[in-house]
PDB file of all heavy atoms in Angstrom:
ATOM      1  N   THR A  23       1.272  -0.729  24.795  1.00 95.00           N
ATOM      2  CA  THR A  23       1.573   0.632  25.462  1.00 95.00           C
ATOM      3  C   THR A  23       2.806   0.450  26.189  1.00 95.00           C
ATOM      4  O   THR A  23       3.636   1.531  26.270  1.00 95.00           O
ATOM      5  CB  THR A  23       0.346   0.886  26.442  1.00 95.00           C
ATOM      6  OG1 THR A  23      -0.857   0.926  25.655  1.00 95.00           O
ATOM      7  CG2 THR A  23       0.534   2.202  27.151  1.00 95.00           C
ATOM      8  N   ALA A  24       3.043  -0.627  26.979  1.00 95.00           N
ATOM      9  CA  ALA A  24       4.228  -0.653  27.796  1.00 95.00           C
ATOM     10  C   ALA A  24       5.613  -0.646  26.876  1.00 95.00           C
ATOM     11  O   ALA A  24       6.461   0.037  27.227  1.00 95.00           O
ATOM     12  CB  ALA A  24       4.227  -2.019  28.548  1.00 95.00           C
ATOM     13  N   ARG A  25       5.518  -1.372  25.710  1.00 96.00           N
ATOM     14  CA  ARG A  25       6.631  -1.379  24.829  1.00 96.00           C
ATOM     15  C   ARG A  25       6.885   0.083  24.271  1.00 96.00           C
ATOM     16  O   ARG A  25       8.072   0.497  24.041  1.00 96.00           O
ATOM     17  CB  ARG A  25       6.544  -2.325  23.688  1.00 96.00           C
ATOM     18  CG  ARG A  25       6.452  -3.834  24.117  1.00 96.00           C
ATOM     19  CD  ARG A  25       7.884  -4.204  24.774  1.00 96.00           C
ATOM     20  NE  ARG A  25       8.885  -4.215  23.813  1.00 96.00           N
ATOM     21  CZ  ARG A  25       9.169  -5.180  23.035  1.00 96.00           C
ATOM     22  NH1 ARG A  25       8.596  -6.475  23.184  1.00 96.00           N
ATOM     23  NH2 ARG A  25      10.277  -5.216  22.161  1.00 96.00           N
ATOM     24  N   GLN A  26       5.771   0.699  23.922  1.00 95.00           N
ATOM     25  CA  GLN A  26       5.890   2.087  23.414  1.00 95.00           C
ATOM     26  C   GLN A  26       6.525   3.047  24.435  1.00 95.00           C
ATOM     27  O   GLN A  26       7.373   3.863  24.068  1.00 95.00           O
ATOM     28  CB  GLN A  26       4.515   2.608  22.973  1.00 95.00           C
ATOM     29  CG  GLN A  26       4.428   3.940  22.332  1.00 95.00           C
ATOM     30  CD  GLN A  26       3.001   4.474  22.089  1.00 95.00           C
ATOM     31  OE1 GLN A  26       2.157   3.978  22.679  1.00 95.00           O
ATOM     32  NE2 GLN A  26       2.953   5.375  21.057  1.00 95.00           N
ATOM     33  N   ARG A  27       6.134   2.974  25.610  1.00 95.00           N
ATOM     34  CA  ARG A  27       6.712   3.934  26.658  1.00 95.00           C
ATOM     35  C   ARG A  27       8.087   3.534  26.944  1.00 95.00           C
ATOM     36  O   ARG A  27       8.976   4.353  27.241  1.00 95.00           O
ATOM     37  CB  ARG A  27       5.832   3.634  28.008  1.00 95.00           C
ATOM     38  CG  ARG A  27       4.469   4.298  27.906  1.00 95.00           C
ATOM     39  CD  ARG A  27       3.576   3.930  29.065  1.00 95.00           C
ATOM     40  NE  ARG A  27       2.353   4.619  29.070  1.00 95.00           N
ATOM     41  CZ  ARG A  27       1.328   4.324  29.898  1.00 95.00           C
ATOM     42  NH1 ARG A  27       1.531   3.468  30.963  1.00 95.00           N
ATOM     43  NH2 ARG A  27       0.189   4.839  29.861  1.00 95.00           N
ATOM     44  N   ALA A  28       8.621   2.186  26.750  1.00 94.00           N
ATOM     45  CA  ALA A  28       9.985   1.822  27.083  1.00 94.00           C
ATOM     46  C   ALA A  28      10.879   2.407  26.177  1.00 94.00           C
ATOM     47  O   ALA A  28      12.036   2.538  26.409  1.00 94.00           O
ATOM     48  CB  ALA A  28       9.980   0.252  27.151  1.00 94.00           C
ATOM     49  N   VAL A  29      10.520   2.635  24.780  1.00 94.00           N
ATOM     50  CA  VAL A  29      11.409   3.132  23.737  1.00 94.00           C
ATOM     51  C   VAL A  29      11.245   4.531  23.439  1.00 94.00           C
ATOM     52  O   VAL A  29      12.026   5.081  22.741  1.00 94.00           O
ATOM     53  CB  VAL A  29      11.257   2.173  22.502  1.00 94.00           C
ATOM     54  CG1 VAL A  29      11.474   0.757  22.773  1.00 94.00           C
ATOM     55  CG2 VAL A  29       9.908   2.474  21.772  1.00 94.00           C
ATOM     56  N   ARG A  30      10.173   5.161  24.116  1.00 94.00           N
ATOM     57  CA  ARG A  30       9.895   6.578  23.640  1.00 94.00           C
ATOM     58  C   ARG A  30      11.075   7.572  23.816  1.00 94.00           C
ATOM     59  O   ARG A  30      11.371   8.419  23.090  1.00 94.00           O
ATOM     60  CB  ARG A  30       8.609   7.015  24.381  1.00 94.00           C
ATOM     61  CG  ARG A  30       8.175   8.435  24.058  1.00 94.00           C
ATOM     62  CD  ARG A  30       6.910   8.776  24.689  1.00 94.00           C
ATOM     63  NE  ARG A  30       5.786   7.992  24.298  1.00 94.00           N
ATOM     64  CZ  ARG A  30       4.703   7.761  24.960  1.00 94.00           C
ATOM     65  NH1 ARG A  30       4.502   8.271  26.116  1.00 94.00           N
ATOM     66  NH2 ARG A  30       3.744   7.028  24.474  1.00 94.00           N
ATOM     67  N   LYS A  31      11.784   7.341  25.038  1.00 91.00           N
ATOM     68  CA  LYS A  31      12.815   8.341  25.246  1.00 91.00           C
ATOM     69  C   LYS A  31      13.960   8.167  24.340  1.00 91.00           C
ATOM     70  O   LYS A  31      14.537   9.181  23.906  1.00 91.00           O
ATOM     71  CB  LYS A  31      13.282   8.045  26.691  1.00 91.00           C
ATOM     72  CG  LYS A  31      14.415   8.999  27.199  1.00 91.00           C
ATOM     73  CD  LYS A  31      14.775   8.607  28.688  1.00 91.00           C
ATOM     74  CE  LYS A  31      15.931   9.724  29.065  1.00 91.00           C
ATOM     75  NZ  LYS A  31      16.398   9.346  30.486  1.00 91.00           N
ATOM     76  N   ASP A  32      14.365   6.917  23.839  1.00 92.00           N
ATOM     77  CA  ASP A  32      15.474   6.813  23.029  1.00 92.00           C
ATOM     78  C   ASP A  32      15.228   6.778  21.582  1.00 92.00           C
ATOM     79  O   ASP A  32      16.097   7.160  20.805  1.00 92.00           O
ATOM     80  CB  ASP A  32      16.112   5.392  23.459  1.00 92.00           C
ATOM     81  CG  ASP A  32      16.637   5.354  24.862  1.00 92.00           C
ATOM     82  OD1 ASP A  32      17.078   6.389  25.327  1.00 92.00           O
ATOM     83  OD2 ASP A  32      16.558   4.228  25.438  1.00 92.00           O
ATOM     84  N   ASP A  33      13.879   6.445  21.205  1.00 94.00           N
ATOM     85  CA  ASP A  33      13.561   6.301  19.814  1.00 94.00           C
ATOM     86  C   ASP A  33      12.127   6.729  19.587  1.00 94.00           C
ATOM     87  O   ASP A  33      11.302   5.808  19.563  1.00 94.00           O
ATOM     88  CB  ASP A  33      13.857   4.890  19.138  1.00 94.00           C
ATOM     89  CG  ASP A  33      13.862   4.756  17.682  1.00 94.00           C
ATOM     90  OD1 ASP A  33      13.222   5.694  17.135  1.00 94.00           O
ATOM     91  OD2 ASP A  33      14.487   3.908  17.154  1.00 94.00           O
ATOM     92  N   ARG A  34      11.928   7.955  19.322  1.00 94.00           N
ATOM     93  CA  ARG A  34      10.489   8.437  19.261  1.00 94.00           C
ATOM     94  C   ARG A  34       9.841   7.853  17.939  1.00 94.00           C
ATOM     95  O   ARG A  34       8.623   7.564  17.972  1.00 94.00           O
ATOM     96  CB  ARG A  34      10.492   9.894  19.261  1.00 94.00           C
ATOM     97  CG  ARG A  34      10.843  10.574  20.531  1.00 94.00           C
ATOM     98  CD  ARG A  34      10.558  12.065  20.600  1.00 94.00           C
ATOM     99  NE  ARG A  34       9.163  12.299  20.717  1.00 94.00           N
ATOM    100  CZ  ARG A  34       8.446  12.247  21.735  1.00 94.00           C
ATOM    101  NH1 ARG A  34       8.941  12.045  23.002  1.00 94.00           N
ATOM    102  NH2 ARG A  34       7.068  12.460  21.642  1.00 94.00           N
ATOM    103  N   ALA A  35      10.568   7.756  16.866  1.00 94.00           N
ATOM    104  CA  ALA A  35      10.008   7.197  15.653  1.00 94.00           C
ATOM    105  C   ALA A  35       9.554   5.778  15.825  1.00 94.00           C
ATOM    106  O   ALA A  35       8.507   5.325  15.481  1.00 94.00           O
ATOM    107  CB  ALA A  35      11.058   7.226  14.502  1.00 94.00           C
ATOM    108  N   LEU A  36      10.348   4.966  16.509  1.00 95.00           N
ATOM    109  CA  LEU A  36      10.083   3.512  16.795  1.00 95.00           C
ATOM    110  C   LEU A  36       8.728   3.577  17.740  1.00 95.00           C
ATOM    111  O   LEU A  36       7.883   2.743  17.628  1.00 95.00           O
ATOM    112  CB  LEU A  36      11.090   2.819  17.388  1.00 95.00           C
ATOM    113  CG  LEU A  36      10.835   1.335  17.899  1.00 95.00           C
ATOM    114  CD1 LEU A  36      10.426   0.582  16.622  1.00 95.00           C
ATOM    115  CD2 LEU A  36      12.125   0.618  18.481  1.00 95.00           C
ATOM    116  N   ALA A  37       8.743   4.438  18.739  1.00 94.00           N
ATOM    117  CA  ALA A  37       7.641   4.429  19.613  1.00 94.00           C
ATOM    118  C   ALA A  37       6.417   4.799  18.863  1.00 94.00           C
ATOM    119  O   ALA A  37       5.274   4.125  19.187  1.00 94.00           O
ATOM    120  CB  ALA A  37       7.953   5.498  20.734  1.00 94.00           C
ATOM    121  N   THR A  38       6.409   5.785  17.941  1.00 94.00           N
ATOM    122  CA  THR A  38       5.242   6.075  17.138  1.00 94.00           C
ATOM    123  C   THR A  38       4.773   4.857  16.327  1.00 94.00           C
ATOM    124  O   THR A  38       3.576   4.630  16.216  1.00 94.00           O
ATOM    125  CB  THR A  38       5.545   7.315  16.264  1.00 94.00           C
ATOM    126  OG1 THR A  38       6.001   8.379  16.992  1.00 94.00           O
ATOM    127  CG2 THR A  38       4.366   7.617  15.386  1.00 94.00           C
ATOM    128  N   ALA A  39       5.697   4.148  15.685  1.00 95.00           N
ATOM    129  CA  ALA A  39       5.399   2.988  14.908  1.00 95.00           C
ATOM    130  C   ALA A  39       4.718   1.947  15.700  1.00 95.00           C
ATOM    131  O   ALA A  39       3.659   1.250  15.436  1.00 95.00           O
ATOM    132  CB  ALA A  39       6.567   2.482  14.200  1.00 95.00           C
TER     133      ALA A  39
END
Side-chain angles (χ1 to χ4, degrees):
T23 301
R25 293 297 293 270
Q26 183 183 21
R27 289 174 178 171
V29 303
R30 182 176 293 159
K31 181 178 179 181
D32 298 325
D33 193 336
R34 296 190 66 84
L36 177 58
T38 300

